[in-house]
Amino acid sequence: MSDLLNGKDCFIQKGDSRVLIKHIPDKSIDLIFTDPPYNIGKHSTGNIPLPGRAPMNNDVAKWDLVEFSPEKWAEDFIRILKPTGNLFIFTTYNQLGRWYNALDHRFDTSQFMIWHKTNPAPKVFKAGFLNSCEMIFCCWNRKHTWNFISQAEMHNFLESPICMQPERLTNPKHPAQKPVSILKKIISIASNEEDIVFDPFMGVGSTGIAALSQNRRFIGFELDNDYYKATKRRIEDWKHLNGKV
Ligand SMILES: C[S@@+](CC[C@H](N)C(=O)[O-])C[C@H]1O[C@@H](n2cnc3c(N)ncnc32)[C@H](O)[C@@H]1O
């Protein structure tokens, strides 16, 4: 399917990425950069009322309740990734070990990064630590791409606010929309211009916007029609704004 880019910089499709990934040729992707379901919604005790504000979304979303098995993705991820490719996966405490077990022994190196959110949702009853960190599991083989310039940017720690207005979409609202600035930073370090970035769980297309704005090509899949349509609109708007049409 990466052939279907056919001179274009972007190919997005609505559908089940478990099925669609089978159409991606072997060793054709430079960077898999994705944010799959976390399966943390099932631990929720319900949305949290906040005085004078909209309730805090603790339930995540329906898509997060569908059982997700990292083990089922390892084989296809390894098949489509070029030997020089990199793999970055946003994940959670309950799935980090599963990604590690599924992928670490298949790569030369694995590591994790922390994205620290400077403005996490508050816990008004002080019943525990704030959920202010998100993990990113990453792995690679020798001869992969690393575009580090200084030691300072080599910390496995990134910091930014969560996605806020005007970047955050309101219709549809996606509870896990990632800030493009964080994605751009990783894409610029872990891939080169013209490389193909693949996101099989693209949500409202943040990885796509980050990839295109770094002069990478992008392939993305999304199951939900509203999120897919929002990605399509977002990419079209981005192209108009940046004179790419
Ligand atoms: C954590 S969100 C990704 C959010 C994205 N990073 C963004 O910034 O918008 C995970 C997404 O995966 C989608 N999804 C879940 N299972 C899928 C599947 N089998 N195929 C394609 N998309 C799927 C969900 O609908 C959801 O939008």
Side-chain angles (χ1 to χ4, degrees):
M1 193 179 285
S2 60
D3 303 307
L4 291 186
L5 279 172
N6 205 11
K8 292 196 224 107
D9 55 3
C10 179
F11 178 84
I12 58 169
Q13 179 134 347
K14 184 181 90 64
D16 183 348
S17 50
R18 222 32 240 116
V19 177
L20 297 173
I21 198 170
K22 299 290 179 199
H23 301 290
I24 297 191
D26 297 358
K27 298 184 176 39
S28 61
I29 300 294
D30 298 283
L31 171 62
I32 298 173
F33 191 9
T34 193
D35 183 19
Y38 321 111
N39 281 172
I40 46 173
K42 63 184 175 191
H43 303 294
S44 168
T45 47
N47 290 343
I48 300 170
L50 292 177
R53 290 176 52 178
M56 193 190 101
N57 177 7
N58 205 27
D59 287 343
V60 190
K62 281 207 185 100
W63 51 257
D64 193 57
L65 294 173
V66 179
E67 191 60 32
F68 181 82
S69 303
E71 302 76 20
K72 290 189 181 157
W73 290 85
E75 220 45 64
D76 274 314
F77 281 176
I78 289 160
R79 179 184 64 75
I80 64 175
L81 199 62
K82 288 184 185 169
T84 50
N86 283 314
L87 178 51
F88 282 73
I89 304 169
F90 280 91
T91 189
T92 37
Y93 57 89
N94 53 322
Q95 286 181 337
L96 179 67
R98 291 175 69 178
W99 283 117
Y100 175 87
N101 287 336
L103 292 170
D104 174 70
H105 64 289
R106 311 287 300 270
F107 286 85
D108 289 334
T109 308
S110 72
Q111 216 177 15
F112 74 96
M113 301 182 72
I114 292 292
W115 167 38
H116 177 235
K117 305 168 188 179
T118 52
N119 58 345
K123 287 199 174 180
V124 280
F125 302 115
K126 299 189 173 60
F129 291 103
L130 299 176
N131 290 315
S132 65
C133 290
E134 217 164 295
M135 283 171 276
I136 306 168
F137 179 71
C138 42
C139 38
W140 59 86
N141 286 317
R142 275 183 285 275
K143 297 193 180 155
H144 71 124
T145 299
W146 258 176
N147 294 319
F148 289 125
I149 295 170
S150 67
Q151 294 288 313
E153 62 180 9
M154 291 172 67
H155 290 243
N156 60 340
F157 176 83
L158 301 166
E159 198 163 48
S160 85
I162 58 169
C163 200
M164 303 290 284
Q165 297 297 337
E167 183 179 346
R168 186 174 274 281
L169 306 193
T170 48
N171 185 24
K173 210 169 164 180
H174 196 300
Q177 183 182 340
K178 293 291 175 292
V180 168
S181 62
I182 288 290
L183 307 175
K184 270 166 77 170
K185 185 157 174 80
I186 291 177
I187 289 172
S188 67
I189 287 170
S191 67
N192 294 312
E193 292 203 354
E194 296 302 317
D195 276 0
I196 300 177
V197 178
F198 171 54
D199 184 353
F201 302 96
M202 70 179 174
V204 290
S206 314
T207 314
I209 298 293
L212 294 172
S213 65
Q214 300 289 97
N215 291 323
R216 274 63 169 172
R217 292 174 286 164
F218 178 68
I219 297 175
F221 304 142
E222 170 57 47
L223 198 54
D224 181 283
N225 193 39
D226 290 339
Y227 295 157
Y228 167 77
K229 284 198 298 196
T231 298
K232 197 162 177 293
R233 271 198 311 274
R234 219 176 153 196
I235 289 178
E236 281 163 7
D237 289 351
W238 181 88
K239 287 193 168 192
H240 274 109
L241 261 174
N242 290 278
K244 303 278 183 186
V245 280

